[in-house]
Amino acid sequence: MKNNRNALMELEKHYVNRSGWLRAAVLGANDGILSTTSLAIGVAAASTTREPIILATLAGLVAGALSMAAGEYVSVSSQSDVETADLIREKKELETMPEVELHELAKIYERRGLTPELAKEVAVQLTEHDALEAHARDELGINEITQARPLLAAGASAASFIVGGMLPFLIALFAPVNNMIWFQYGFSMVFLAVSGFVAASVGGSDIIKSVLRICIWGTFAMLMSAFVGYLFGVNVA
């Protein structure tokens, strides 16, 4: 019987478990493709040689990966600091006024649909098991799935940005200079479509909607980059 329950738990996999690293990875890959391609298109629109395009994409790739890692680490660390401060405050309240906290927990379960008697019993049993965990989960909304992990988020962002940014960088190396803009745009649409497909498949969302959304906004970003290149008309030779 126990083995059957374990097997069922293994089969019951939820997509929300992947939300932390998936968000950072998808954001990093898409940003790597979009920002590096847009940079290459902007420079290609004002250049007649390959070297400036390669230099711009390489610089954008390195700077973008470091920026994504640093930004994600700082952002998620701030969230982690808030969570830690809330947990410390909650622990003190449990030590100084346990009855108030117990009543507060019972009221949360009442609002979720339990009767007052059952809500009180659930609150008592969960408090006896692990009071801080119960309050963290049900009062503060902090659990193992949603808990901030700065290093994991930073690593996923940087690695995925490099993977995404390497694709337009390779196009800058080998595509014909005269048609660089069209090569960059065409391949970036393929890359973005694949990225949207993978993200939707891993996250369990609508694939067509995900692919269309990223391709439409990607096209807009690259059009604006090409427009800026033509607008300034700087010949980078």
Side-chain angles (χ1 to χ4, degrees), residues 4-207:
N4 290 337
R5 284 200 302 268
N6 292 336
L8 287 173
M9 289 177 69
E10 286 293 326
L11 290 173
E12 191 178 0
K13 295 180 180 179
H14 298 287
Y15 295 112
V16 71
N17 297 336
R18 308 166 179 171
S19 61
W21 62 265
L22 179 61
R23 181 192 67 84
V26 170
L27 178 62
N30 292 344
D31 197 21
I33 296 170
L34 271 176
S35 61
T36 310
T37 301
S38 298
L39 187 59
I41 288 176
V43 175
S47 177
T48 57
T49 59
R50 185 183 303 276
E51 288 75 13
I53 304 172
I54 294 175
L55 180 60
T57 52
L58 181 60
L61 177 60
V62 174
L66 295 175
S67 175
M68 284 291 292
E72 194 71 19
Y73 181 81
V74 171
S75 174
V76 180
S77 292
S78 298
Q79 178 187 343
S80 179
D81 291 342
V82 172
E83 291 177 355
T84 301
D86 276 342
L87 289 173
I88 292 173
R89 183 167 59 250
E90 194 66 31
K91 185 176 181 180
K92 289 181 179 179
E93 290 176 353
L94 286 169
E95 292 172 352
T96 56
M97 44 185 183
E99 290 299 325
V100 173
E101 290 298 305
L102 179 64
H103 179 73
E104 188 177 45
L105 195 59
K107 285 297 180 182
I108 291 174
Y109 298 140
E110 280 188 48
R111 288 195 293 269
R112 292 180 181 177
L114 299 184
T115 63
E117 295 78 13
L118 182 56
K120 178 72 176 295
E121 180 63 25
V122 171
V124 169
Q125 291 196 27
L126 288 178
T127 298
E128 291 175 352
H129 175 69
D130 191 329
L132 184 60
E133 180 186 11
H135 282 270
R137 181 182 61 248
D138 296 321
E139 182 182 349
L140 304 177
I142 301 173
N143 55 57
E144 291 182 358
I145 296 174
T146 61
Q147 193 170 17
R149 294 178 174 86
L151 287 176
L152 178 63
S157 294
S160 56
F161 187 98
I162 291 173
V163 171
M166 280 298 296
L167 301 174
F169 176 69
L170 292 174
I171 302 302
L173 285 175
F174 300 110
V177 177
N178 293 337
N179 295 311
M180 180 64 71
I181 293 176
W182 297 111
F183 272 89
Q184 287 285 356
Y185 174 74
F187 277 99
S188 70
M189 286 297 102
V190 175
F191 301 151
L192 288 173
V194 171
S195 173
F197 174 82
V198 171
S201 299
V202 175
S205 57
D206 186 89
I207 292 176

